[in-house]
């Protein structure tokens, strides 16, 4: 994908992109309250991928802040959070939604899901995920309360706010504009929207 | 494995067992401060397994308490925590240790790891893991602080204390007595020990 171009993550759908080591991808919350499930795979070996359980062990934090580096399932640096104008609330705790989730929430019939979006976005570039890794859920607001409980809350991000991530190796990244419309994770209106991203070189955050 | 028999999880190693739906496995912290990484797989289809990221979304809690049910990657009930005399501190956040972890901690040469123990314990009964799922780390003390940071602390469990888990489907369960001896997750002495388990019917907790 060319640099400086704005790419769309369609509402309820996914998109994949290649990132060279050192490039920075900026994910824009165009309409303000859209969660974007994010995965990263080693471009040379898809069995190595960004892992939330390995990242937490290294960054010693439940949710990443600017300066934190997400790690792979082989504990290698994958993506570093280098800029964040969204309020700094992202989630590493919750699985990507899937058809089982929507069935349990009472939905009947087809429902888009981040799990299916991951597979479809990779398929569009001739790849397939070795599994569905636990995603980095950008803009997703899952507070951990003092008693260890968690809750699903609306994002604190605002329209046009963004997160910039630097690739620490050559990567395939996948974004899914989460189609969750039965819980307020994409805002109180439960109305999933598109989001956008652009890729820049490492010399300028956000390209 | 026969009921009522005490099975050993050797120090630094793993052990697998079959559990029928309704059976209860009691994991005993024999020496008091040994972390036991725990996995569960659908006995009829190993690609379905206990998933911490799916469990957190269902139990709405970072760490399970008595009454909580861990879910599979298809969001089905797998294991329910039915009794706990260990102080109630277990971890769902941190990946199983692996050779990369010990390399990064400065260890040179072979080091046992929970990831290798999972594969070896399944191999011993003719099975292999489809991947290394994020484990339920029994007795592991990883507090989440108010600022979202986490830390690696010694267990609060005591010698002979235990956790009992009821199988909600026919399962293959795997336990690994974590060989971590470079951080105090297995107690301040950093000395991994054996642990034990026994399997009982559902009529009596702990069999």
């Amino acid at each position: 994908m060319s640099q400086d171009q704005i790419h769309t993550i369609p509402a309820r759908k996914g998109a994949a992109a290649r990132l060279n080591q050192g490039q920075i991808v900026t994910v824009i919350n165009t309409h303000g309250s859209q969660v974007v499930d994010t995965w990263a795979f080693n471009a040379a070996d898809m069995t190595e991928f960004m892992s939330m359980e390995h990242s937490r062990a290294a960054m010693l934090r439940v949710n990443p802040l600017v300066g934190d580096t997400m790690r792979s399932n082989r504990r290698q640096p994958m993506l570093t959070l280098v800029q964040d104008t969204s309020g700094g609330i992202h989630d590493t705790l919750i699985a990507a939604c899937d058809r089982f989730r929507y069935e349990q929430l009472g939905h009947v019939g087809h429902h888009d899901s981040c799990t299916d979006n991951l597979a479809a976005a990779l398929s569009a570039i001739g790849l397939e995920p070795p599994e569905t890794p636990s995603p980095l859920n950008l803009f997703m607001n899952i507070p951990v309360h003092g008693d260890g409980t968690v809750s699903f809350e609306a994002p604190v991000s605002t329209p046009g706010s963004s997160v910039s991530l630097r690739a620490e190796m050559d990567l395939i990244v996948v974004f899914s504009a989460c189609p969750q419309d039965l819980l307020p994770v994409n805002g109180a209106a439960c109305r999933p929207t598109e989001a956008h991203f652009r890729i820049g070189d490492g010399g300028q955050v956000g390209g």
Side-chain angles (χ1 to χ4, degrees), chain A:
Chain A
M1 289 185 173
S2 64
Q3 292 195 182
D4 301 317
Q5 190 184 334
I6 298 281
H7 304 280
T8 300
I9 312 166
R12 315 178 79 96
K13 296 294 182 184
R18 291 177 188 272
L19 282 186
N20 296 326
Q21 184 176 18
Q23 283 189 314
I24 289 173
V25 61
T26 295
V27 185
I28 304 157
N29 205 327
T30 314
H31 301 284
S33 56
Q34 178 60 47
V35 165
V36 179
D37 283 36
T38 299
W39 293 269
F41 299 85
N42 179 341
D45 178 358
M46 295 283 288
T47 67
E48 180 170 17
F49 48 78
M50 182 168 69
S51 164
M52 294 302 103
E53 57 264 32
H54 294 80
S55 295
R56 286 187 295 263
M59 67 187 183
L60 298 178
R61 203 187 298 283
V62 170
N63 297 335
L65 299 180
V66 169
D68 282 330
T69 297
M70 270 60 71
R71 300 262 171 171
S72 76
N73 56 333
R74 294 176 201 158
R75 304 193 190 256
Q76 298 306 304
M78 297 286 271
L79 284 171
T80 298
L81 184 47
V82 293
Q83 184 171 284
D84 189 350
T85 68
S86 74
I89 302 294
H90 311 287
D91 171 67
T92 73
L93 298 175
I94 300 299
C97 63
D98 49 34
R99 66 184 180 86
F100 310 104
R101 176 68 158 161
Y102 292 106
E103 286 169 7
Q104 290 184 354
L105 288 170
H107 182 82
V108 177
H110 174 79
H111 196 293
D112 292 314
S113 74
C114 289
T115 297
D116 288 349
N117 288 347
L118 167 64
L122 285 175
S123 177
I125 58 170
L127 296 171
E128 63 180 311
E131 57 182 84
T132 302
S134 193
L136 172 61
N137 297 310
L138 294 176
F139 314 115
M140 190 172 182
N141 184 6
I142 307 287
V144 179
H145 305 287
D147 61 356
T149 59
V150 300
S151 54
F152 286 69
E153 307 290 346
V156 303
S157 43
T158 51
S161 67
S162 66
V163 171
S164 297
L165 301 157
R166 184 179 64 227
E168 303 297 351
M169 65 172 72
D170 292 351
L171 295 174
I172 307 291
V173 291
V174 182
F175 305 108
S176 170
C178 177
Q180 177 58 267
D181 51 9
L182 303 173
L183 294 173
V185 295
N186 293 309
C190 290
R191 196 169 49 229
T193 65
E194 64 184 350
H196 293 86
F197 68 94
R198 64 172 183 268
I199 298 171
D201 64 40
Q204 186 183 354
V205 169

